[in-house]
Amino acid sequence: MATQQSICANWSANSTGCKKFGNYTCKGCYLVVYCGSDCQKSHWASHKIDCKSSLGNETWRPQWNLENRNPPFLFEMRNLVPSFHGNKSLWGNIPAIDVLQLGSNEGGDYEKRLNLLFAASGDLRNVVKTIAQMPGSYNKPMDVVINDSDFDVVARNAIILLIALVADNIDEAADCMIHVWYSALIRKSDLDMLQQKVLPLVESICEKIKDKNSSSLLGKTWRFGQRSLRLVLPKASWDRLLAFLNIPKGLTAEQASRVRMAITLDESKKDNLDLHLIFQTPSRRIAKHRFRQDGLLLPFGASRHEFQEPNPTLFQVPDVWPMPDCADPLQGWSLKDVEDTPSGPATADIYGKLFNHIRSMLRAFLLRLSDMQVSFRLFCEKFSLLPMHLECGSFNRIEVSNMADNLHAGMHTTAYRMGPLLQAPHVNPHATLITLFREAIRETMTMQDRIMDMYTYRPETKLIREYFSYIGAYAAGYNPDAAPLSDPKAIKWTYAQANVANYDPIFDRFMNNFRFSQVEQLFGVTMKRKNTVIEKWPFKMKLQYGQPGALEELIQLTDEVVLAKERYVEWRRF
């Protein structure tokens, strides 16, 4: 899929800047592109603020280290993974997956209807990726059920899907979907799409049901040729949905930006931000800070002057930004796939790469929708009550996010609720229930496990030594074992250790502790010996010490948040 070519970064707010494509980059940061040296010189007065930022220095250190103190997260957070309890999760925080992998399961020539259930969907990233990557040979009807218990999530998912279904132009739809999904401010053209094409659809329903009881459960199906979207909500929620299409009265772009930055650049959370930045290259630190500042998912040098409207799907209350300070669109997509996406000469522009990656994914999604018979059904229901609305034995795939974690429904409840909805083996031997365990290793690891992991010699230990040489940890006689926990290099060592550790014995203990063997006897679903949709440990090291690229893989994995402990388990009807 083609990547959108970047416009020269020498733009101005009054639209008098250069409109040519950029073919050269700033050699100081590799974040912006220019059409030539004249524009680069003209833009330097503006660009040097970013290019010469202290974040771009190789010697940059976090504030807690400069002040020789222990950051609060060492005591507040388990395993150095930031906690966002009590905040909205409107963007995915684990990379998107294709829940079908049709070619390697049912086969690209599958001749039956496909039914997919995203039972605790979060945002649309898994839906988009699954449909975008479907083989072109599949031409049968598809039913996609998307549910989340958070109304804000469901409202945004419905709006983004309606944009996909009502827009006339694929490129315009993709760009509008990106910004409604991820940008704090949107363009007038995006707001026009919401208010001229989506809002009337919702208003007509609200008018028809205005005399219904506020607790009445009401559904509406919109049809667009071969495609349809059905939304089932209580009457009161239909009324709330209108607010997601209108900017709060009196809220300006400047006010919205101040409200957001009060969260994303909160000085009391600076240590959490610096924790993320210690793993980044200098240019990526600058890029991340830019996103914290303006909240626009765009290439670094792209013009911002059109983004003058607060995103109404994010700003429901004039003085509230709904997400945590560390929420980042990068968390919802494969970092490797993003880094492999071209961004022209601006090779360090990670958000430019992310923009191009998501845009390509959305274009593929929209193109696939254009030639398929697809019906979407959206619910805002509790996980345990969702089966009441669905037909038993009807789904090829059921994806439940991390609802099987003990912090949520747990595996036994998940199997009890979701198992009967899965197609039986005689109907489809490839039908799969996909469960993600994010907390199992953290819950089960003992202090003895941690000590053994630190001091047991394995071939990977040599790889960690290479990593430490890469980050300069052995310079001047540095001893990681003697370093204080607050030392950035010691924190990097902890992350690197986690990425090469063997968690299989610990997960086996977790399964034994919570009697996974009973699931088959009690609920009629059995664990698949070999995963066929998503790897068991998709974020662990693939290469071994001594193999070409192993160090580079470890450097990439030891970026931001340790995901190596995330375990997928697949189940089938028994």
Side-chain angles (χ1 to χ4, degrees), residues 13 27 50 72-73 83 86 90 143 166 174 250 255 301 303 312 319 346 383-384 414 465 483 487 513 521 572:
K27 297 298 193 294
D50 294 314
F73 61 73
S83 174
L90 304 182
D143 185 38
V166 302
Q255 291 169 330
S303 171
D319 58 351
F383 182 77
S384 60
T414 298
R465 288 176 181 168
D487 189 307
N513 290 347
Q521 303 164 12
R572 60 179 178 84

Side-chain angles (χ1 to χ4, degrees), residues 94 120-121 125 399-404 434-438 568:
I94 193 168
S121 67
R125 68 198 189 285
E399 193 270 322
V400 298
S401 185
N402 61 330
M403 291 302 297
I434 306 164
T435 57
L436 167 64
F437 293 88
R438 302 200 70 176
Y568 280 93

Side-chain angles (χ1 to χ4, degrees), residues 34 138 498:
Y34 297 104
Y138 182 79

Side-chain angles (χ1 to χ4, degrees), residues 36 60 63 65 87 169 174 202 212 221 249 252 259 262 266 321 344 360 374 410 426 435 471 473 491 562:
W60 176 88
Q63 197 68 33
N65 189 245
N87 294 282
N169 180 282
V202 179
K212 298 285 186 181
T221 302
K249 188 174 181 179
T252 65
V259 167
D266 182 358
W321 174 251
S360 294
V374 185
H426 70 275
T435 57
I471 63 173
I491 293 173
V562 177

Side-chain angles (χ1 to χ4, degrees), residues 79 324 357:
N79 295 321
H357 177 71

Side-chain angles (χ1 to χ4, degrees), residues 110-125:
Y110 190 59
E111 289 293 320
K112 297 181 181 178
R113 183 186 191 96
L114 283 171
N115 300 312
L116 311 180
L117 170 58
F118 299 85
S121 67
D123 67 9
L124 290 171
R125 68 198 189 285

